[in-house]
Amino acid sequence: MRENERVTMKIVLDAMGSDNAPMVEVDGAIQAVSEFGHDVVLVGNEARIKQEMEKHGFSSEKLIIKHASEVIEMYDPAAISVRRKRDSSIVVGLDLLKKGQADAFVSAGNTGAVVCAASLSLRLLPGIERPGIAIVIPTLKGSSVIIDVGANITPKAIHLLQYGIMADAFSRYMLGKSDPTVGLLNVGEEESKGTEFIREVHTLLNESKLNFAGNIEGRDVYAGKVDIILCDGFVGNVILKISESIADTIMKSLRQEIKADFLATIGAVLSSGAFNELKKKMDYSERGGVPLLGVDGICIISHGSSNAKAIKNAVRAAAEFVEKDVNKHIVEELESY
Amino acid sequence: MRENERVTMKIVLDAMGSDNAPMVEVDGAIQAVSEFGHDVVLVGNEARIKQEMEKHGFSSEKLIIKHASEVIEMYDPAAISVRRKRDSSIVVGLDLLKKGQADAFVSAGNTGAVVCAASLSLRLLPGIERPGIAIVIPTLKGSSVIIDVGANITPKAIHLLQYGIMADAFSRYMLGKSDPTVGLLNVGEEESKGTEFIREVHTLLNESKLNFAGNIEGRDVYAGKVDIILCDGFVGNVILKISESIADTIMKSLRQEIKADFLATIGAVLSSGAFNELKKKMDYSERGGVPLLGVDGICIISHGSSNAKAIKNAVRAAAEFVEKDVNKHIVEELESY
């Protein structure tokens, strides 16, 4: 654990991760250095990173390059590529964190590979058997956390209890919620509903110290019925991706409808402020990245299609995570079990 | 199978199913009789149904009451209540269909109970091991079918192949698609991705005669990448309910934003036509109900929160299903395997 009083963080950024790497990573890193004053270590192909930096005419001792000759591609199988590509930006970057030479790691690369490499390199927090990816979603009541959205697609019941404990600490210390409620995503509210796996999780949660509110249904997620939504990584991944796409579909449909109507076009111009506000609320690049909870270190995962703003915000999220010492609180909570 | 040339259908309607039963059912039945000219058999508490009918001052020999003394409630366990409540509206209504006294059955009641009672009473189509609920969703390219959205939360791989075949016939004969593409909902596009169950389904679909387009991700669902989306009933149920809620959240948020801005308010008034068009597109009551595919008879399931319009449209959907002889085409397609 790093000390709280540290103001300047050193964040390791996988420069080769996103679909537009290293362009957006370098751009985002420059913005993060300029706006937040953190040190950023760009890990990846040195020549290509320098080329991008020259475009910006930016140079600062706070922006450090660490060369890595290999790249784990999006289509690479996670476990195999982590073992074989020892000089990849993901493996080299996490190694810096493991050695204590940095405070956090950010990557917009192959999520499976990041989960695998982080678990192997940083190891897991004591009491955690599997890491989980947590996302914060906007709801009608504010925001909620969904865990897991894809780190672990075939979890055991006990893993979901562990996710609940981690999300509880995350909600308290990152989101400032005092006694977050936990809901188990199911096909019905009744305790008898769902698969054997879900009923087993239900029993574990009932017996836990978490503020368990019982089963919730799909419709409760965005209504904000609970603060923490627990599900397996398969269901969570589908929800995450469908949520992004459905918002997009609605906005596109609305624009289609509006274009079809002249009076409405005038209306749309006048109300474009509202559109933009909503877009901002739904925009994942505003948050930048999501934490991989359960590994013994701070690891933030960004979207493959991240832009520079998303990368900048992921660096900010990483720094905030370090500052709030979430992992320490997770361990404390786990120890009470 | 009924004959195609029949114009007037007899539709059995569970009068006790919805959250506002029998009020909305009677209202919807009257609208269906008036608009479509079908005969509707209202099954349920005769006194309460008559009371509702009197409010409308409507009487027609096309609106028939069949008394049933019991009601399977939303919270009743499906299998047990179907066995115990032999005089419930669901069991009595399906019995009329089984005896050939009607063409189709519609219920907004306990979905699990309808699935269970329909499977027991009507039996399954030859070659089908489990029924599945199919929904039609609006996409950026038109519409797609998702199956299963909750009839079968722990399917075997072979069930998803059967769902694919049924949805193929449904898409051809109900939606008029010539060679519908089939996608398997997964956490990634690559064949190696997903759980063991998903990989097993992938193999079966690859070997099938279906127009299999491979794995799709959550983001592809509303983009309209494929015509048919296959998933287990747990995932499908979560998607269905989250889709409803997310659309609602976005519309509410947009209205909140618009209210916050005076200029935008003027704009919103002008563009309200666009809002209404979109709302109609997203509105499940426009479709009324969704088919339970795989049972040997036409069974349409409506939302518990259905209004009269949804009930009316469910009756229309049931009649259309009979007319298009979808079950005959499903059996033909299955026989070719």
Side-chain angles (χ1 to χ4, degrees):
Chain A
M1 295 297 142
R2 330 252 145 240
E3 285 162 37
N4 263 342
E5 51 270 29
R6 248 180 105 160
V7 178
T8 305
M9 311 278 179
K10 187 181 269 188
I11 313 294
V12 179
L13 175 60
D14 170 9
M16 313 307 286
S18 82
D19 300 341
N20 298 302
M23 190 176 70
V24 294
E25 279 84 352
V26 171
D27 192 354
I30 291 171
Q31 290 183 30
V33 167
S34 309
E35 287 186 37
F36 315 131
H38 300 309
D39 295 347
V40 175
V41 185
L42 283 159
V43 184
N45 184 304
E46 188 166 10
R48 290 182 61 197
I49 295 170
K50 277 189 169 162
Q51 199 180 4
E52 286 299 325
M53 283 175 69
E54 276 160 21
K55 283 186 196 169
H56 291 270
F58 181 90
S59 114
S60 159
E61 58 186 16
K62 300 182 82 58
L63 202 58
I64 304 139
I65 302 176
K66 169 76 182 175
H67 181 68
S69 64
E70 292 174 297
V71 176
I72 296 178
E73 306 290 350
M74 286 296 182
Y75 51 78
D76 277 340
I80 296 169
S81 53
V82 167
R83 275 197 302 272
R84 291 199 185 149
K85 294 186 171 174
R86 302 303 305 163
D87 200 39
S88 62
S89 54
I90 291 174
V91 174
V92 172
L94 282 163
D95 201 47
L96 291 177
L97 190 56
K98 184 190 176 184
K99 287 177 183 160
Q101 293 172 15
D103 299 291
F105 174 76
V106 174
S107 176
N110 183 319
T111 301
V114 173
V115 172
C116 178
S119 307
L120 288 170
S121 169
L122 306 175
R123 306 273 166 161
L124 300 177
L125 292 172
I128 296 297
E129 290 168 34
R130 288 292 187 94
I133 301 173
I135 60 161
V136 180
I137 58 159
T139 72
L140 281 180
K141 292 191 183 162
S143 63
S144 299
V145 175
I146 305 181
I147 184 167
D148 166 50
V149 299
N152 182 6
I153 60 170
T154 50
K156 293 180 184 164
I158 189 82
H159 300 159
L160 263 74
L161 171 62
Q162 292 164 7
Y163 291 161
I165 297 167
M166 293 196 287
D168 182 76
F170 178 81
S171 299
R172 287 173 194 270
Y173 297 96
M174 281 290 280
L175 307 178
K177 297 197 176 188
S178 61
D179 193 19
T181 51
V182 177
L184 177 60
L185 191 57
N186 200 349
V187 294
E189 287 186 358
E190 302 81 1
E191 201 172 327
S192 61
K193 284 279 172 85
T195 59
E196 206 183 308
F197 165 75
I198 289 288
R199 290 197 301 271
E200 201 183 326
V201 177
H202 196 285
T203 305
L204 286 177
L205 292 170
N206 251 342
E207 292 164 355
S208 77
K209 294 173 203 159
L210 293 168
N211 187 4
F212 183 45
N215 293 329
I216 63 158
E217 296 182 71
R219 67 173 63 95
D220 304 321
V221 172
Y222 284 90
K225 192 173 181 184
V226 293
D227 298 303
I228 296 163
I229 295 134
L230 296 180
C231 58
D232 71 54
F234 190 97
V235 170
N237 189 267
V238 169
I239 290 178
L240 171 67
K241 289 174 179 167
I242 220 162
S243 301
E244 290 174 3
S245 90
I246 218 175
D248 193 48
T249 305
I250 292 176
M251 298 306 277
K252 279 185 185 157
S253 300
L254 203 54
R255 282 176 196 278
Q256 272 174 15
E257 296 295 347
I258 284 174
K259 274 188 192 149
D261 177 347
F262 177 70
L263 261 186
T265 310
I266 305 169
V269 173
L270 293 173
S271 65
S272 58
F275 271 114
N276 291 339
E277 271 310 301
L278 180 67
K279 213 180 148 199
K280 199 170 165 182
K281 216 184 251 182
M282 303 295 298
D283 184 2
Y284 285 77
S285 74
E286 291 287 332
R287 297 171 194 280
V290 296
L292 177 66
L293 294 180
V295 292
D296 191 6
I298 312 301
C299 182
I300 301 288
I301 295 173
S302 293
H303 211 292
S305 64
S306 287
N307 55 20
K309 187 174 77 175
I311 297 291
K312 176 193 79 177
N313 286 331
V315 171
R316 184 181 58 188
E320 199 183 338
F321 214 95
V322 181
E323 204 181 314
K324 299 279 173 69
D325 234 346
V326 178
N327 278 355
K328 191 185 82 182
H329 295 295
I330 288 175
V331 172
E332 282 168 2
E333 206 167 314
L334 280 163
E335 277 170 356
S336 76
Y337 274 82
Chain B
M1 294 295 143
R2 328 254 145 237
E3 286 163 34
N4 264 341
E5 52 268 30
R6 249 182 103 161
V7 178
T8 304
M9 312 278 178
K10 187 181 269 186
I11 312 295
V12 179
L13 175 61
D14 171 10
M16 313 307 285
S18 81
D19 300 341
N20 298 302
M23 188 178 70
V24 294
E25 279 84 352
V26 171
D27 192 355
I30 291 172
Q31 290 182 31
V33 166
S34 311
E35 287 186 37
F36 315 131
H38 299 308
D39 295 348
V40 175
V41 185
L42 283 160
V43 184
N45 184 304
E46 189 166 9
R48 290 182 62 198
I49 294 170
K50 278 190 169 159
Q51 198 182 4
E52 286 300 325
M53 282 174 71
E54 276 160 20
K55 284 187 196 167
H56 292 271
F58 181 90
S59 113
S60 160
E61 58 186 16
K62 299 182 82 56
L63 202 58
I64 305 140
I65 301 176
K66 168 78 183 173
H67 181 67
S69 64
E70 291 174 296
V71 176
I72 296 178
E73 306 289 351
M74 287 296 182
Y75 50 79
D76 277 340
I80 296 169
S81 52
V82 167
R83 276 197 303 271
R84 292 199 185 149
K85 294 186 172 177
R86 301 304 303 163
D87 200 39
S88 62
S89 54
I90 291 174
V91 174
V92 172
L94 283 163
D95 202 46
L96 291 177
L97 189 57
K98 184 190 175 183
K99 288 177 183 158
Q101 294 172 13
D103 299 291
F105 174 76
V106 174
S107 176
N110 182 320
T111 302
V114 173
V115 173
C116 178
S119 307
L120 288 171
S121 169
L122 306 175
R123 305 272 166 165
L124 301 177
L125 292 171
I128 296 296
E129 291 169 34
R130 288 293 186 92
I133 302 173
I135 59 160
V136 180
I137 57 158
T139 72
L140 280 180
K141 292 189 181 163
S143 64
S144 300
V145 175
I146 305 181
I147 184 167
D148 166 49
V149 300
N152 182 8
I153 60 171
T154 50
K156 290 180 184 166
I158 189 80
H159 300 158
L160 263 75
L161 171 61
Q162 292 165 6
Y163 291 161
I165 296 167
M166 295 197 286
D168 181 76
F170 178 80
S171 300
R172 287 173 195 270
Y173 298 98
M174 282 290 279
L175 306 179
K177 298 198 176 188
S178 60
D179 192 18
T181 50
V182 177
L184 176 61
L185 191 56
N186 200 349
V187 294
E189 287 185 357
E190 302 82 1
E191 203 173 324
S192 61
K193 284 280 172 83
T195 60
E196 205 181 311
F197 165 74
I198 289 289
R199 289 197 302 270
E200 202 182 327
V201 177
H202 196 285
T203 305
L204 287 177
L205 291 170
N206 252 342
E207 292 163 355
S208 78
K209 294 172 200 159
L210 294 168
N211 187 4
F212 182 46
N215 293 329
I216 62 158
E217 295 182 72
R219 65 171 67 95
D220 303 320
V221 171
Y222 284 90
K225 191 173 181 183
V226 293
D227 297 303
I228 296 163
I229 296 134
L230 296 179
C231 57
D232 71 56
F234 189 96
V235 171
N237 188 268
V238 169
I239 290 179
L240 171 67
K241 290 173 179 167
I242 222 163
S243 299
E244 291 174 3
S245 90
I246 216 176
D248 192 49
T249 306
I250 291 176
M251 297 306 278
K252 279 186 186 155
S253 300
L254 203 54
R255 282 176 197 280
Q256 273 174 15
E257 295 295 346
I258 284 175
K259 274 187 194 151
D261 176 347
F262 177 68
L263 260 187
T265 310
I266 306 169
V269 174
L270 293 174
S271 65
S272 56
F275 271 113
N276 291 339
E277 272 309 302
L278 180 68
K279 213 182 149 199
K280 200 169 164 183
K281 216 183 253 183
M282 302 296 299
D283 185 3
Y284 285 77
S285 74
E286 292 287 333
R287 297 169 195 280
V290 296
L292 178 65
L293 295 180
V295 292
D296 192 5
I298 312 300
C299 182
I300 301 289
I301 295 172
S302 292
H303 210 291
S305 65
S306 286
N307 55 21
K309 187 174 78 174
I311 297 292
K312 176 194 79 176
N313 287 331
V315 171
R316 185 181 58 186
E320 199 184 337
F321 214 94
V322 181
E323 205 183 312
K324 299 279 173 69
D325 234 348
V326 178
N327 278 355
K328 192 186 81 181
H329 295 295
I330 288 176
V331 172
E332 281 168 3
E333 206 167 316
L334 280 163
E335 277 170 354
S336 76
Y337 273 81

